[in-house]
């Protein structure tokens, strides 16, 4: 569980860093806006889910949903 | 750009909150605070989360990432003044995403929600007609060209009002608690998103915020034109409130009635486009 949280934190930080570096490069005129937007489209969802999974309350064992009578 | 993305998520969720509040006030209920949907997103993100035993792990998680990704892309296309056809394509992808949400969980409620999502594809045909009519007048599908056309000729809302109505109905079919919201109907618990709880639902909330922002923004840009941001945001709030009135005062239709009504509207819109095509 802790290991999984560590991986999520690392992945979140990595994609967050990519977004930040992309922003700096784009502001500096090295990266075009279209490329930076493509980076955001890929990285933004990963950052969001990783941050959420990192700070969520706890992980539960898998459950079987109600599948009918 | 990342700042704008976060702003779009927050404002989109705020619009959904205003929608809920307006519906409640019209129905003489106090209703939740307007920031309730933002709180929902945060609440779900803190909840205990897992993947159901019957789910396809990859699809179950991947579909949430895709949902956020496609609406981020739609926002950037909109801001860049790109082709309206790309946004139309993303809208179609969202249909596949809804289907993926439902099928990935292994729950019958989710599956029925996914199936209804396919049935409700009838609601997308007016969007196609709306795009066709706009292209007929502006001779372009680029949003930047559509804005330029409106600078010279005035808002398309007054030139082709029925095309605006068609797009309005498409947005209405995507709003919660509306007459065409059959994919989230209560007899299916939460429809396609029933088994996506906790962090997955929080991700879906992010996607919903973006989707709402993009669709409202698109309507304002395509039918009113390029106006200052504060006026655009005010227009989006006004548009939301009009949608809330429709949702508050009309019952949710049964799936077959919903499709029938949408097909009748589509027939009228196709006839309208044909008449415009002949006489324009």
């Amino acid at each position: 569980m802790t290991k999984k949280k560590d991986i999520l934190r690392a992945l979140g930080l990595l994609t967050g860093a990519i977004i930040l570096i992309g922003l700096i490069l784009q502001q500096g005129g090295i990266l075009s806006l279209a490329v930076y937007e493509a980076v955001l489209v890929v990285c933004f969802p990963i950052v969001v889910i990783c941050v959420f999974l990192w700070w969520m309350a706890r992980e539960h064992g898998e459950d079987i949903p109600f599948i009918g009578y | 750009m990342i700042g704008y993305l976060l702003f779009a998520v927050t404002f989109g969720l705020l619009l959904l909150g205003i929608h809920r509040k307006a519906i409640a006030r019209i129905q003489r209920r106090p209703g939740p605070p307007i920031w309730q949907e933002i709180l929902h997103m945060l609440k779900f993100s803190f909840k205990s989360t897992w993947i159901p035993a019957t789910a396809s792990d990859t699809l179950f998680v991947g579909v949430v990432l895709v949902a956020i990704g496609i609406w981020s892309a739609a926002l950037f296309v909109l801001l860049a003044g790109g082709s309206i056809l790309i946004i139309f394509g993303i809208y179609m992808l969202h249909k596949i995403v809804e289907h993926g949400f439902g099928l990935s969980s292994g729950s019958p409620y989710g599956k029925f929600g996914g199936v209804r999502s396919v049935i409700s594809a009838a609601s997308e045909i007016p969007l196609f007609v709306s795009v066709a009519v706009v292209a007929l007048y502006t001779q372009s599908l680029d949003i930047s060209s559509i804005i330029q056309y409106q600078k010279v000729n005035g808002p398309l809302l007054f030139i082709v009002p029925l095309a605006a109505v068609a797009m309005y109905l498409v947005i209405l079919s995507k709003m919660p608690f509306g007459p065409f919201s059959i994919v989230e109907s209560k007899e299916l618990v939460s429809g396609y998103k029933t088994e996506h709880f906790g962090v997955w639902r929080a991700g879906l909330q992010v996607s919903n915020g973006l989707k709402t922002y993009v669709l409202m923004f698109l309507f304002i840009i395509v039918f009113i034109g390029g106006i200052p941001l504060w006026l655009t945001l005010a227009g989006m709030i006004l548009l939301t409130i009009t949608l809330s009135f429709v949702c508050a005062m009309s019952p949710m239709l049964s799936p077959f009635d919903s499709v029938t009504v949408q097909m009748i509207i589509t027939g009228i819109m196709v006839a309208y486009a044909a008449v415009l095509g002949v006489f324009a």
Side-chain angles (χ1 to χ4, degrees), chain B residues 22 148 210 267:
Chain B
Q148 283 302 321
L210 273 173

PDB file of all heavy atoms in Angstrom, chain B residues 22 148 210 267:
ATOM      1  N   ALA B  22     -30.481  26.800  -9.279  1.00  0.00           N
ATOM      2  CA  ALA B  22     -31.592  27.432 -10.004  1.00  0.00           C
ATOM      3  C   ALA B  22     -32.779  26.474 -10.091  1.00  0.00           C
ATOM      4  O   ALA B  22     -33.927  26.887  -9.854  1.00  0.00           O
ATOM      5  CB  ALA B  22     -31.134  27.855 -11.390  1.00  0.00           C
ATOM      6  N   GLN B 148     -15.070  36.069 -37.177  1.00  0.00           N
ATOM      7  CA  GLN B 148     -14.881  37.162 -38.145  1.00  0.00           C
ATOM      8  C   GLN B 148     -16.185  37.465 -38.894  1.00  0.00           C
ATOM      9  O   GLN B 148     -16.543  38.621 -39.099  1.00  0.00           O
ATOM     10  CB  GLN B 148     -13.789  36.780 -39.171  1.00  0.00           C
ATOM     11  CG  GLN B 148     -12.367  36.902 -38.630  1.00  0.00           C
ATOM     12  CD  GLN B 148     -12.041  38.305 -38.128  1.00  0.00           C
ATOM     13  OE1 GLN B 148     -12.442  39.295 -38.725  1.00  0.00           O
ATOM     14  NE2 GLN B 148     -11.338  38.384 -37.005  1.00  0.00           N
ATOM     15  N   LEU B 210     -15.086  20.535 -17.247  1.00  0.00           N
ATOM     16  CA  LEU B 210     -14.487  20.953 -18.521  1.00  0.00           C
ATOM     17  C   LEU B 210     -15.517  20.896 -19.646  1.00  0.00           C
ATOM     18  O   LEU B 210     -15.618  21.803 -20.460  1.00  0.00           O
ATOM     19  CB  LEU B 210     -13.312  20.025 -18.874  1.00  0.00           C
ATOM     20  CG  LEU B 210     -11.947  20.398 -18.301  1.00  0.00           C
ATOM     21  CD1 LEU B 210     -10.939  19.308 -18.604  1.00  0.00           C
ATOM     22  CD2 LEU B 210     -11.462  21.724 -18.853  1.00  0.00           C
ATOM     23  N   GLY B 267     -35.627  15.963 -37.519  1.00  0.00           N
ATOM     24  CA  GLY B 267     -36.336  16.056 -38.799  1.00  0.00           C
ATOM     25  C   GLY B 267     -36.626  17.508 -39.158  1.00  0.00           C
ATOM     26  O   GLY B 267     -36.388  17.948 -40.292  1.00  0.00           O
TER      27      GLY B 267
END
